[in-house]
Each structure stands twice: as C-alpha cells, then as structure tokens.
C-alpha cells in the first residue's frame, strides 16, 4: 500500500531540485525496504543520498521517479530526505520499529530413547511471538509413542517414530523417539515374614500390598499403557483381586470364602481372570472365570460336582475364551488335566493317570496347553497338547512338569522344572519344539516363559540355601531384580514383555 506524506510535513521543493510525492511504508524495523516516489531524482543510485533522520539509508535501486532504500542498522525514527546535486527535499517521518525476533521452536534433543511405559517431557525453546500454548503435539505412530498436550512422551511398544511440535506451516520441528520393550514380572517377596505382592518393571520393584498381611501377585498382563495383575490378598481368608497400575481395580471375592486368582488376560478392553472360589461346603472349590470384576463362568462338567476343580490359566482371542486347569475325582485326588473352550470342558487325557494343565496359549483357533501327566511308573511327564495331540517333553525317568507355554510362528516354547522326587526342585528348563535347555544350576524352577523376537525370557526362582530368590532369565542369563535387603524368600510367577 502506498501512503503519501502529510501535506503539513512536506517541504517546498527547491527550484530544479528533487520533489517527493510519497514513501511507503511509514514504519518498519531494520531491514525494511522503503519505496520513495517523486520527480527529479538522480537516475542512478550514486546520484542520490537518502537519509532517515541523520542516518544514511543504502539505496538498492533508483530512477528519476522512484528510489528504493533499506532501513539500516542504527537508524532511529526521523524524517525521510532525498538529496540530489546538493539540493534536498524532506518528507514525512518514518518510524523505526524495534525488530521482532522471528518465531521459532527447538527441542532439547533430536532423539529420545525410552522403555515402554516410561515417560519423559520434551523441553522446548521458543523464539518470537509464540508460546507453549500454541504448540500442537503429535505422534506419527501412537502404537509406539503417545504424546500429550504438554509434550510428555510415553513409550507404548517397541519401535521408532517421529514426534512433531507444530505451531504453523513455517514453525515446527520434530524428533525421533526410539522405544525399547520393558520386562514385567510379578510374584511376592517375604518381608518380616509376610509375603508382599510385587511387580517388577525392568528389575525395579513396586509393592502391591503394604506388608501388613499376606499378599501375592500371580499373573501380569500389559494392555496399552496399563499394567494389570491378579493375585491373592488376606481378608481373613485368601481373596482374589485385580490390580491396575498398582491400585486395586476389582475385589473379586470378599474373603468370606477361600478364593484365589491365578491368571489374567485382557481382550478388547475386557478383563478376564481365572482362579478358584470355594463353594462353601467341605472346602470344595471350583474353577471360576471373572469378567470385568463379575463372576462369568464356573468351569465344571457336572459329573464331579462334589470334587475340587482349579482354573490355572486363561487366554482370550477373536475365536474364543480358552482356559486350563484340572479337576479332581475319587479316582484321582490330585486331578486330571482339563481344557475349557468357551466354558465347554475337554479332557486332555483318558484320565487313566492323574495330571494337571497349567498354561494355555491360542493362535487363532489352534490351542496349546502345557502341564504334566503321571506315567504307569508314577513319574510325572512334562507334556504339551496341541489341539488335543500330546507331545511328551521329558523322558519319564524323573519327575518334570511344564508350567508355561508360548507360541511364536512355528515354534512352541514351554518352561518348567525337573524335580528330585515330587516336591524338591532340581532344575529350571525351557523346551523349544521339544528340545530342553536348562536355565540355571540345580535348585531352580521356571514358572513362566515369554518370547520376544529372538529373545527368550523365563521367570521363576533360584534356591539359595533355605530361601528362594525371584529370578528372570533372558536367554539363560539372570537379570537384575530389585529385592529387599534381608528379606526372606521371593518368587516370580509370571512375566510379560511389552
């Protein structure tokens, strides 16, 4: 826009000298270009002298009718004048504005490294007329990283993605966020003689119970950024509970009857738990499934209603709800292994010998279960069943059982223990497609297996004298777990990698 000088600011032209019609703009900071129009200007830049107040402005182009100059460093508000051949015309006032810093944003790092479910707030440095409230944060892949309105990033799962801080099309920046998986474990640790339910994340322990009474966490599942665990607390009698992010989410039972929670699984936001609940007569209990805190199913075939059954593990996917455990009978007081598909009971054996199923895993409608069955010599044989077809994992010469099963691609992993007799732990073992690998020295046991990529994680314990020590192995090497100095025995029952 061209704005003319006010008439009251014009100076009468000198005869034969330059005449100024207008200049534009009337204000600006250092570096602003000013366009001056008039007559009798010098035809070249060298023929003209232009000043703002007493400061000479550099000329960028000139003709007899217009001149372009740039506001120089050091210029202050003053009248614009043009001198040609010693004759000067002075126009209106040009206001020199304080230079505004260009808007910009920078981050304190170009790359962030996190573990899943860990958080860090990005520090920003802003320049120009912008504020933190102007920033719109976004993650290219929210399955890997989420970011809130304050720039706090949280790892969700293993991977890498970009996080962007956006103000406008000209002012934005981003950073790379690399997320490594976290190793979660649950169990208990005896402190002052009382078992305390615990969860470990990357080896760092958090108590789920306060140590005033018995507590133990038996299973863990991580869904998104939420950590779920189930287990047992003392309410006069053992009671089944679910924790979410360290706080009790559901009290599944009230402690008036014996109960426990053995395994937890999350599917489509629904929380499934399996365990046992006493029927109230003769200490008989039944395998029970809870869904979102409410009783969902009692697992029994109706043939042995006066005998005890136990639910040990649950797995839920798009094809159904799969559970395993065992059911006792007059013939087999220690039980025989059972699989339940959507509450329909399936016998895993012909029930000629006793046994138990401890773990279940499903890939689509293919169902895998792990446990043991006694042979004709009274030896426990570690086994897994794939769609009902049995595979023996141990040779039947010494007692063994498979406590956990995990399937990745075409590979079937099972974790368990060899025993000296039927109660004395001898050695923790992982079988991959039937081939055993010992995890530790004598006096160890394995209760849970999880495979992530090429890494095999196993949870369990190592015996140290009369005490047991909670342990997680990665590819056969024990990882560091935070344990209380001077505490008693501790155990890991379940692990999860996220």
């Amino acid at each position: 826009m061209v704005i003319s000088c006010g008439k009251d600011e014009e100076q009468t032209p000198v005869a034969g000298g330059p005449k100024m019609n207008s200049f534009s703009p009337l204000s600006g900071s250092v570096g602003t270009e000013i366009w001056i129009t008039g007559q009798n200007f010098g035809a070249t830049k060298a023929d003209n002298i232009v000043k703002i107040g007493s400061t000479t402005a550099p000329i960028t182009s000139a003709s007899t009718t217009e001149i372009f100059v740039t506001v120089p460093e050091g210029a202050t508000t003053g009248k614009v004048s043009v001198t040609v051949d010693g004759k000067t015309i002075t126009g209106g006032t040009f206001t020199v504005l304080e230079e505004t810093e260009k808007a910009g944003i920078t981050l304190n790092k170009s790359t962030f490294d996190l573990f899943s479910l860990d958080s860090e707030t990005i520090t920003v440095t802003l320049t120009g007329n912008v504020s933190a409230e102007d920033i719109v944060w976004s993650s290219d892949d929210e399955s890997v990283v989420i970011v809130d309105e304050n720039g706090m990033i949280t790892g969700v799962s293993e991977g890498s993605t970009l996080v962007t801080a956006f103000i406008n099309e000209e002012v934005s920046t981003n950073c790379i966020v690399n997320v490594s998986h976290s190793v979660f474990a649950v169990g208990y640790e005896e402190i002052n003689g009382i078992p305390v339910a615990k969860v470990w994340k990357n080896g760092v322990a958090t108590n789920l119970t306060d140590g005033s009474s018995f507590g133990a966490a038996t299973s863990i599942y991580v869904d998104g950024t939420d950590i779920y665990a189930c287990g047992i607390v003392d309410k006069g009698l053992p009671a089944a509970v679910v924790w979410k992010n360290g706080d009790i989410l559901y009290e599944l039972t009230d402690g008036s009857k014996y109960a426990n929670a053995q395994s937890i699984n999350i599917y489509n936001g629904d929380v499934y738990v399996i365990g046992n609940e006493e029927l109230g007569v003769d200490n008989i209990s039944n395998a029970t499934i809870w869904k979102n805190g409410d009783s969902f199913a009692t697992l029994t075939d109706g043939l042995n209603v006066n005998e005890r059954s136990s639910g040990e593990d649950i797995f839920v996917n798009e094809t159904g709800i799969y559970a395993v455990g065992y059911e006792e009978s007059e013939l087999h007081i220690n039980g025989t292994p059972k699989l339940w598909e959507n509450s329909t009971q399936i016998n895993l054996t012909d029930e000629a010998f006793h046994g138990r199923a401890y773990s279940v895993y499903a890939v689509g409608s293919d169902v895998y279960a792990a446990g043991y069955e006694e042979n004709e010599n009274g030896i426990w044989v570690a086994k897994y069943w794939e769609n009902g077809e049995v595979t023996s994992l141990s040779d039947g010469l010494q007692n063994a059982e498979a406590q956990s099963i995990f399937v990745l691609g075409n590979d079937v992993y099972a974790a368990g223990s060899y025993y000296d007799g039927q109660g004395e732990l001898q050695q923790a073992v992982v079988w991959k497609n039937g081939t055993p690998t010992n995890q530790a020295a004598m006096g160890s046991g394995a209760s849970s297996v999880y495979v992530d990529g090429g890494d095999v994680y196993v949870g369990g314990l190592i015996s140290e004298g009369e005490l047991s020590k909670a342990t997680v192995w990665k590819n056969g090497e024990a990882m560091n777990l935070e344990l209380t100095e001077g505490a008693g025995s501790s155990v890991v029952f379940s692990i999860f990698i996220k």
Side-chain angles (χ1 to χ4, degrees):
M1 172 170 29
V2 176
I3 302 176
S4 299
C5 302
K7 288 185 177 181
D8 58 331
E9 295 180 330
E10 291 184 357
Q11 187 181 71
T12 302
V14 178
K19 179 180 179 182
M20 188 184 306
N21 294 336
S22 65
F23 66 84
S24 177
L26 298 180
S27 64
S29 59
V30 171
T32 300
E33 185 178 65
I34 303 173
W35 175 34
I36 305 169
T37 64
Q39 294 87 42
N40 300 331
F41 294 154
T44 68
K45 293 189 290 183
D47 294 334
N48 301 277
I49 297 173
V50 178
K51 291 185 178 182
I52 302 171
S54 60
T55 304
T56 300
I59 300 171
T60 57
S61 67
S63 70
T64 58
T65 58
E66 60 182 8
I67 301 172
F68 289 88
V69 299
T70 301
V71 179
E73 292 283 351
T76 57
T77 298
K79 293 184 179 297
V80 177
S81 64
V82 178
T83 301
V84 180
D85 293 334
K87 299 177 180 179
T88 301
I89 182 69
T90 301
T93 299
F94 180 86
T95 302
V96 178
L97 303 177
E98 185 176 336
E99 188 173 4
T100 302
E101 190 174 10
K102 184 179 180 181
I105 180 172
T106 56
L107 309 181
N108 60 317
K109 297 181 189 177
S110 60
T111 302
F112 290 80
D113 295 314
L114 295 176
F115 286 104
S116 63
L117 275 64
D118 281 352
S119 298
E120 183 173 345
T121 298
I122 300 173
T123 301
V124 299
T125 300
L126 299 171
T127 57
N129 189 27
V130 292
S131 67
E133 288 73 23
D134 297 323
I135 302 173
V136 177
W137 293 94
S138 63
S139 169
D140 279 8
D141 188 348
E142 292 192 341
S143 70
V144 175
V145 174
I146 58 175
V147 58
D148 70 9
E149 67 275 9
N150 298 313
M152 185 175 72
I153 51 177
T154 300
V156 177
S157 62
E158 188 174 22
S160 297
T161 193
L162 284 177
V163 168
T164 299
F166 178 89
I167 294 178
N168 56 49
E169 293 296 338
E170 296 180 352
V171 184
S172 66
T173 189
N174 57 42
C175 61
I176 298 171
V177 183
N178 302 311
V179 180
S180 300
H181 62 229
S182 289
V183 180
F184 300 87
V186 291
Y188 74 85
E189 181 184 32
E190 290 181 350
I191 300 176
N192 298 321
I194 298 175
V196 175
K198 283 188 175 272
V199 57
W200 290 269
K201 177 188 173 188
N202 297 323
V204 178
T206 299
N207 292 345
L208 296 175
T209 55
D210 62 11
S212 61
S213 59
F214 173 91
T218 55
S219 180
I220 186 168
Y221 196 100
V222 182
D223 183 50
T225 57
D226 294 317
I227 304 169
Y228 295 85
C230 70
I232 312 164
V233 297
D234 185 1
K235 288 177 170 265
L237 289 173
V241 296
V242 173
W243 294 274
K244 178 181 178 181
N245 301 327
D247 296 319
I248 289 182
L249 176 65
Y250 301 126
E251 294 182 338
L252 302 176
T253 61
D254 61 9
S256 61
K257 298 181 293 185
Y258 172 90
N260 64 31
Q262 293 285 74
S263 175
I264 189 167
N265 195 278
I266 315 298
Y267 184 72
N268 283 343
D270 292 319
V271 181
Y272 295 85
V273 177
I274 192 169
N276 309 323
E277 187 172 18
E278 190 179 80
L279 298 177
V281 292
D282 299 326
N283 295 322
I284 302 300
S285 63
N286 250 356
T288 302
I289 294 176
W290 295 269
K291 179 180 178 182
N292 299 327
D294 297 320
S295 181
F296 179 72
T298 299
L299 304 178
T300 177
D301 62 8
L303 299 178
N304 298 306
V305 294
N306 292 320
E307 303 294 347
R308 180 174 180 265
S309 62
S310 177
E312 298 293 316
D313 195 19
I314 190 167
F315 193 101
V316 186
N317 67 11
E318 70 279 3
T319 66
I321 301 171
Y322 303 96
V324 293
Y326 59 91
E327 188 175 51
E328 296 175 354
S329 65
E330 292 182 4
L331 179 61
H332 297 299
I333 61 173
N334 288 321
T336 52
K338 305 295 181 183
L339 166 69
W340 292 273
E341 294 187 3
N342 298 316
S343 299
T344 299
Q345 181 174 291
I346 299 170
N347 292 329
L348 292 174
T349 69
D350 61 7
E351 299 189 291
F353 302 99
H354 96 264
R356 296 185 176 185
Y358 291 119
S359 181
V360 63
Y361 198 98
V363 180
S365 59
D366 292 325
V367 184
Y368 302 77
Y372 76 89
E373 185 184 20
E374 190 180 55
N375 66 14
E376 63 274 11
N377 297 316
I379 303 297
W380 298 356
V381 180
K383 296 185 175 185
Y384 79 85
W385 294 264
E386 178 182 353
N387 298 325
E389 296 295 322
V390 65
T391 297
S392 293
L393 297 171
S394 60
D395 58 14
L397 299 178
Q398 69 178 119
N399 288 307
E401 63 180 1
Q403 288 266 348
S404 179
I405 193 164
F406 195 97
V407 181
L408 183 65
N410 296 320
D411 296 319
V412 179
Y413 298 82
S417 307
Y418 292 113
Y419 291 89
D420 180 11
Q422 292 187 351
E424 191 71 26
L425 281 173
Q426 185 170 355
Q427 197 160 33
V429 60
V430 171
W431 293 272
K432 178 182 178 182
N433 302 323
T435 301
T437 301
N438 295 333
Q439 293 300 292
M442 308 298 283
S444 60
S447 56
S448 182
V449 63
Y450 200 108
V451 183
D452 183 75
D455 296 319
V456 180
Y457 297 84
V458 178
L461 62 89
I462 295 175
S463 295
E464 294 187 346
E466 295 182 355
L467 301 178
S468 64
K469 177 182 176 183
T471 305
V472 173
W473 295 273
K474 178 182 178 182
N475 301 324
E477 296 294 327
M479 303 177 68
N480 289 326
L481 286 187
E482 184 179 73
L483 297 171
T484 305
E485 186 175 355
S489 290
S490 56
V491 178
V492 167
F493 288 125
S494 175
I495 58 175
F496 197 98
I497 312 301
K498 173 74 173 192

